[in-house]
Amino acid sequence: MAANPFDTLFEHGLREAQRLHLRRSIRVFERAAPGRNLLDGRELLNFCSNDYLGLSRHPALASLACERIRQYGTGATASRLVCGTDPACAAVEARLARAKGAQAALLFASGWQANAAVMPALLRAFGPSTQVYVDRLVHASLHQGCRAAGVREVRFHHNDLDHLEALLRARAGRPGRRIIVTESVFSMDGDRCDVAALAGLAERHDAFLYLDEAHATGVLGPGGMGLSGLAGGRVDLAMGTFSKALGGFGAYVAGSRALCDYLVNTCSGFIHTTALPPAVLGAIDAALDLVPGMQAEREALAAGADALRGALHALGLETGASSTQIVPILIGDERRALALSRALEARGVLAAAIRPPTVPRGTSRLRIALSAAHTPADIGQLLEALSQALEAVE
């Protein structure tokens, strides 16, 4: 096939990314047991995955997914407003609403799609003068949702509720309703928001609270269903995913019945997307059966993260404000972060180098994501490999 005449544009962009040590490429790994991958037949410890409870290979999820395929086939065939809703889909939404202490829930194809599609729909309801207060480090999908809505974000310092309140007070006389957008657990920093304090702040300032729970769902909060459960019903919309601790795929939003009915009628990402297929719904159902009873796994995961942070600090490495299963090793320079990631891989450990634009410039890092499937010996192997990699890269 002849080269596309526009390829020179793409090649220029790729060369520039390479020059800045920011180029990405797709690599093929074979998945092995939870917490492990295979590369060219060699087993590597995987500290990149969001499979926080090790459920992605759990037999109960696989069994129910296969059963649903045998019963209902492989595809949902159309959007829910065209072909109707699968009873299993409605049942999952009802379970989620109960688990989140909400009136209703709505399923989406992915967390990125949910955030990017729900934000514009919400902002249409709130009107053109809406003030949108956004933690500066929220996920790219939330920034995308604001861009798609054509609104200018008022960004507050990361997890700084005093700064947020100062911004709210300074704009108290301005027209328009208010929305606060943040995450309960931040995916690249592993720190958490004080959700109860944030909910009180939102209440005082008559603001709608949008909370992304992607990295808390399954791991933190009452029954493992996220930190919104600590806010006494004062989170107006909670978004979460099934593709991380719940080991499957898809996402949800939970809130009032009126909110969910409104999104059914206005959210393009719901209206114009094929419904989740039967196998995915089966895996979600099985995970929701298991997660409430996995408190021991959650406690082991938290203990492993605490031990890892302590050991990293002893090596003179910074982990920021991490307090969850996500432990960043702050490096700073993009080139050095890449070199350390490669040196770890050579020693049998996968730890992704996270670089701009995923994180702010000058804050490149190794993102260590622990799983309940990781043993103390696995963490010991990581630390030994890291000590050797630091010497090799220095």
Side-chain angles (χ1 to χ4, degrees):
M1 180 182 291
N4 188 302
F6 298 102
D7 281 353
T8 55
L9 299 174
F10 311 137
E11 289 163 357
H12 172 76
L14 290 170
R15 285 193 299 272
E16 183 65 9
Q18 186 72 31
R19 184 183 70 81
L20 297 171
H21 308 288
L22 299 179
R23 181 167 176 171
R24 275 84 166 161
S25 60
I26 294 174
R27 303 177 67 197
V28 178
F29 290 90
E30 183 180 346
R31 293 177 60 205
R36 284 156 172 77
N37 276 19
L38 294 177
L39 176 63
D40 298 327
R42 183 169 67 106
E43 185 173 273
L44 303 173
L45 272 176
N46 181 6
F47 288 98
C48 302
S49 163
N50 297 324
D51 188 16
Y52 302 131
L53 295 176
L55 288 180
S56 68
R57 301 295 292 269
H58 196 286
L61 274 69
S63 176
L64 193 50
C66 290
E67 181 182 326
R68 295 288 175 82
I69 285 178
R70 286 192 293 268
Q71 285 182 302
Y72 304 114
T74 57
T77 74
S79 72
R80 292 169 63 181
L81 293 178
V82 172
C83 274
T85 286
D86 187 319
C89 184
V92 165
E93 287 176 338
R95 290 189 73 177
L96 280 167
R98 290 193 298 272
K100 296 294 290 185
Q103 292 179 357
L106 200 61
L107 297 184
F108 284 81
S110 75
W112 198 99
Q113 183 229 26
N115 282 336
V118 168
M119 283 300 302
L122 272 182
L123 290 167
R124 282 198 298 277
F126 277 65
S129 299
T130 305
Q131 302 171 35
V132 185
Y133 297 82
V134 181
D135 187 297
R136 62 185 295 270
L137 294 187
V138 296
H139 194 266
S141 56
L142 289 164
H143 292 308
Q144 175 63 29
C146 290
R147 282 194 294 272
V151 299
R152 183 176 180 179
E153 299 174 12
V154 181
R155 295 190 181 182
F156 58 94
H157 299 158
H158 176 51
N159 268 345
D160 188 339
L161 299 190
D162 291 335
H163 184 227
L164 171 57
E165 186 145 35
L167 291 171
L168 287 161
R169 285 175 174 163
R171 290 163 172 76
R174 299 187 185 184
R177 295 180 176 86
R178 297 165 164 208
I179 297 179
I180 297 170
V181 181
T182 191
E183 301 181 33
S184 55
V185 172
F186 285 79
S187 61
M188 293 299 130
D189 294 88
D191 55 352
R192 65 184 88 188
C193 170
D194 185 342
V195 175
L198 177 65
L201 187 156
E203 199 169 49
R204 290 194 302 275
H205 292 274
D206 195 25
F208 181 98
L209 179 54
Y210 187 125
L211 187 68
D212 181 327
E213 294 250 71
H215 292 270
T217 300
V219 179
L220 298 170
M225 285 309 295
L227 295 177
S228 59
L230 305 178
R234 293 176 295 166
V235 172
D236 298 293
L237 184 154
M239 191 285 295
T241 60
F242 308 110
S243 54
K244 299 174 179 64
L246 271 66
F249 190 72
Y252 67 87
V253 297
S256 70
R257 169 54 62 190
L259 166 66
C260 290
D261 287 349
Y262 170 78
L263 293 175
V264 166
N265 284 273
T266 60
C267 181
S268 179
F270 176 86
I271 295 168
H272 302 293
T273 298
T274 299
L276 292 177
V280 169
L281 292 171
I284 293 170
D285 236 348
L288 291 174
D289 286 338
L290 292 169
V291 163
M294 298 186 74
Q295 188 59 28
E297 287 83 353
R298 286 188 280 274
E299 290 173 0
L301 185 60
D306 285 341
L308 176 59
R309 278 186 288 269
L312 292 172
H313 296 161
L315 290 173
L317 297 169
E318 296 181 34
T319 60
S322 167
S323 64
T324 67
Q325 73 280 2
I326 301 166
V327 184
I329 303 174
L330 300 175
I331 304 300
D333 177 69
E334 293 84 10
R335 188 197 303 258
R336 187 161 184 262
L338 279 171
L340 283 169
S341 179
R342 294 188 187 111
L344 283 172
E345 184 177 317
R347 291 161 175 80
V349 172
L350 287 177
I354 306 297
R355 298 159 286 157
T358 307
V359 294
R361 189 166 294 280
T363 70
S364 290
R365 65 201 63 186
L366 300 179
R367 177 186 183 267
I368 307 300
L370 293 182
S371 168
H374 289 132
T375 66
D378 293 335
I379 295 174
Q381 184 178 335
L382 164 65
L383 290 165
E384 181 180 356
L386 182 60
S387 296
Q388 295 171 1
L390 288 166
E391 290 181 7
V393 170
E394 294 292 353

